């Protein structure tokens, strides 16, 4: 070759942290933390307690595989119906209330004050875990599915509004411009240029949220906010693990059905 | 109230962006009813800004735009939307609402005339629907009425864009690089269609166009914009090599001028 004197140029991926000293300090610190964390847990591992709990574990698992649907059929039916009601109501109301916040929280179409207001509401609704909000509403409106439904509705608003606002911020502006240029009003602009662009995602997210709300409704019962969770908790504390198994099987079945439905819907709207 | 017969008067228009860039300065253009004007100039000269100022998609910082005797720069809200109905816009990348059907896209040109609920439920007056079908068959795509806009080819989409602009019943069409995303043959067909339809409906047009040869071929008045100022306003014949150098900078223009003559022969 002609260019024999050209030195061979090597290349390797530049490291994430350039300074080698800092890089090694970070690596060692992470390792040290992991080891110490393990040692902390290890001290609380008590072989005696584990061996005492072992028969219970075995009973739990054996009962799970032979679930009893019938002993508590009435409670289970009420619980499931309550959960489904909570899910449908909270998803429906929440999604509708989320629409104005979705538009308000999209930087590209909302005036600054509206944007800040909507973002604040979304952040508030997403800050607290559902279970904490549910505890609050149990105090405010009493035990039962109403507390759970309000909780899930608020969570739905935050969830849908945040994700939809991000989708609206990513739309193709030229379509909006074209509709504005025809002399369309603001609501017409939304319906004709924004809605068609975000509708598939809106429907997909709604279906997904329906499925999340059902699963959440199973948890909220544990703090007394209605639904199948209450029945689940009672069966656990009574050591009726066969009933627990039955409830879990029902929850799994419903979640699967919802998953299939929402998957189908998302496929259809694209 | 009209001190002139001109349908559109742009007077001393200035646009300064928030960044401080002066996009347009002292632009004055008179457009008589039904006249088609090509607006040429290098990228960044302010062509798009100028036509977007006319329908106030961009707000000018100074100057006047007088459409049929009314100063558009002073309008807002409802009266601005009413003025926009009289100005149809055609876009470079078609700007059709992709997930709506061809028919819905065309009918969206009537949004300024129908109420919110009627437009939401797609209940347009029969006269609008008749006109939509007439325009679609005029531009040659009436058999695609129920197809989704994103299923169409570039040339077909631009035809939908043209129908959408014309169904507004405009006095002027603002056309932003109508051919820039099209192949040369389709580009000419689209350009010819725009000119023909402007004549048929006695609609004026301002057409932003990169392709100087195409502009010279189709229009009788050309305006050259450079760094936001008008540097040329005349007939295609007056646009010679020196003028092109003024507008675009030093380049060998022999080909461009030559090509136009060849094409003229080919056309006839």
């Amino acid at each position: 070759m002609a260019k024999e004197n050209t030195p061979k140029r090597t290349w390797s991926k530049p490291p994430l942290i350039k300074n080698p000293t800092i890089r090694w300090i970070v690596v060692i610190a992470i390792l040290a933390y992991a080891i110490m964390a393990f040692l902390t847990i290890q001290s609380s591992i008590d072989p005696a307690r584990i061996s005492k709990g072992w028969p219970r574990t075995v009973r739990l698992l054996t009962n799970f595989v032979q679930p009893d649907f019938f002993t508590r059929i009435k409670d289970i039916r009420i619980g499931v119906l309550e959960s489904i009601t909570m899910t449908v109501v909270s998803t429906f109301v929440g999604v509708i209330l989320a629409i104005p916040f979705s538009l308000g929280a999209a930087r590209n179409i909302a005036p600054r004050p509206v944007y800040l207001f909507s973002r604040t509401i979304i952040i508030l609704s997403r800050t607290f875990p559902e279970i904490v909000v549910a505890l609050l509403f149990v105090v405010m409106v009493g035990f039962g599915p109403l507390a759970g439904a309000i909780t899930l509705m608020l969570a739905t608003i935050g969830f849908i509004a945040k994700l939809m606002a991000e989708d609206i911020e990513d739309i193709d502006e030229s379509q909006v411009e074209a509709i504005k240029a025809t002399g369309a009003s603001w609501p017409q602009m939304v319906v004709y240029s924004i809605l068609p662009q975000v509708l598939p995602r809106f429907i997909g997210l709604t279906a997904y949220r329906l499925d999340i709300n059902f699963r959440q409704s199973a948890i909220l019962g544990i703090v007394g906010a209605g639904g199948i969770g209450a029945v689940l908790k009672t069966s656990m504390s009574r050591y009726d693990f066969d009933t627990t198994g039955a409830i879990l099987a029902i929850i799994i079945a419903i979640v699967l059905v919802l998953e299939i439905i929402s998957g189908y819907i998302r496929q259809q709207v694209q | 109230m009209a001190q002139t017969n001109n349908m559109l008067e742009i007077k001393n228009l200035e646009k300064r962006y928030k960044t401080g860039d002066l996009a347009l300065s002292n632009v004055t253009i008179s457009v008589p009813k039904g006249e088609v004007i090509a607006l040429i100039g290098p990228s960044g000269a302010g062509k798009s800004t100028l036509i977007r100022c006319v329908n106030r998609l961009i707000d000018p910082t100074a100057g006047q735009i007088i459409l049929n005797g009314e100063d558009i720069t002073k309008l807002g809200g409802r009266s601005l939307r009413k003025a926009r109905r009289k100005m149809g816009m055609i876009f470079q990348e078609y700007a059709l609402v992709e997930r709506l059907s061809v028919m819905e896209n065309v009918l969206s040109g009537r949004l300024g005339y129908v109420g919110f609920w009627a437009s939401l439920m797609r209940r347009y007056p029969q006269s609008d629907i008749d006109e939509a079908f007439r325009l679609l068959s005029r531009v040659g795509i009436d058999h695609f009425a129920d197809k989704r806009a994103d299923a169409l080819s570039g040339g077909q989409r631009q035809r939908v864009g043209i129908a959408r602009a014309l169904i507004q019943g405009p006095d002027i069409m603002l056309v932003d690089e109508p051919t820039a995303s099209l192949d040369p043959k389709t580009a000419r067909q689209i350009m010819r269609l725009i000119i023909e339809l402007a004549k048929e409906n006695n609609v004026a047009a301002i057409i932003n166009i990169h392709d100087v040869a195409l502009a010279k071929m189709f229009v009788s008045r050309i305006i050259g914009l450079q760094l936001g100022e008008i540097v040329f306003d005349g007939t295609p014949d007056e646009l010679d090599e020196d003028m092109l150098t003024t507008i675009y900078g030093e380049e060998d223009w022999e080909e461009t001028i030559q090509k136009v003559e060849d094409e003229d022969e080919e056309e006839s």
Side-chain angles (χ1 to χ4, degrees), chain B residues 96-109 132-133 135-137 139 141-153 156-157 159-161 163-164 167:
Chain B
L96 300 180
V97 182
E98 307 255 310
R99 283 206 179 87
L100 294 184
S101 68
V102 166
M103 195 60 176
E104 285 173 304
N105 269 290
V106 175
L107 286 171
S108 71
F133 274 120
L135 283 167
L136 279 177
S137 70
V139 299
I141 48 167
D142 49 340
H143 49 296
F144 288 144
D146 286 325
K147 269 219 158 141
R148 244 167 68 160
D150 54 7
L152 268 50
S153 72
Q156 291 165 343
R157 287 188 205 199
R159 287 163 196 271
V160 179
R164 174 174 67 187
I167 202 171

Side-chain angles (χ1 to χ4, degrees), chain B residues 6-47:
Chain B
N6 290 322
M7 193 263 323
L8 178 73
E9 292 266 9
I10 300 171
K11 286 182 183 167
N12 308 318
L13 198 71
E14 184 203 274
K15 172 65 190 176
R16 189 182 286 280
Y17 282 108
K18 279 191 192 123
T19 51
D21 301 324
L22 192 63
L24 294 173
S25 104
N26 204 23
V27 171
T28 299
I29 303 172
S30 298
V31 187
K33 189 154 182 55
E35 186 178 59
V36 177
I37 299 172
L39 196 59
I40 63 168
S43 300
K47 304 191 298 292

Side-chain angles (χ1 to χ4, degrees), chain A residues 174-175 177-185 187-188 191-192 196-197 200 270, chain B residues 52 57 81 84 91 95-99 111-112 114-116 119 122 124 164:
Chain A
S174 72
Q175 300 180 26
E177 207 178 30
I179 295 297
K180 267 190 199 161
T182 66
S185 61
Q188 283 177 327
V191 168
Y192 270 77
Q197 294 190 56
Q270 202 27 260
Chain B
R52 278 171 173 75
L57 286 176
R81 295 203 300 272
R84 277 182 181 157
F91 297 82
L96 300 180
V97 182
E98 307 255 310
R99 283 206 179 87
L111 284 175
V114 300
F116 174 71
S119 64
R122 311 299 197 253
Y124 287 86
R164 174 174 67 187

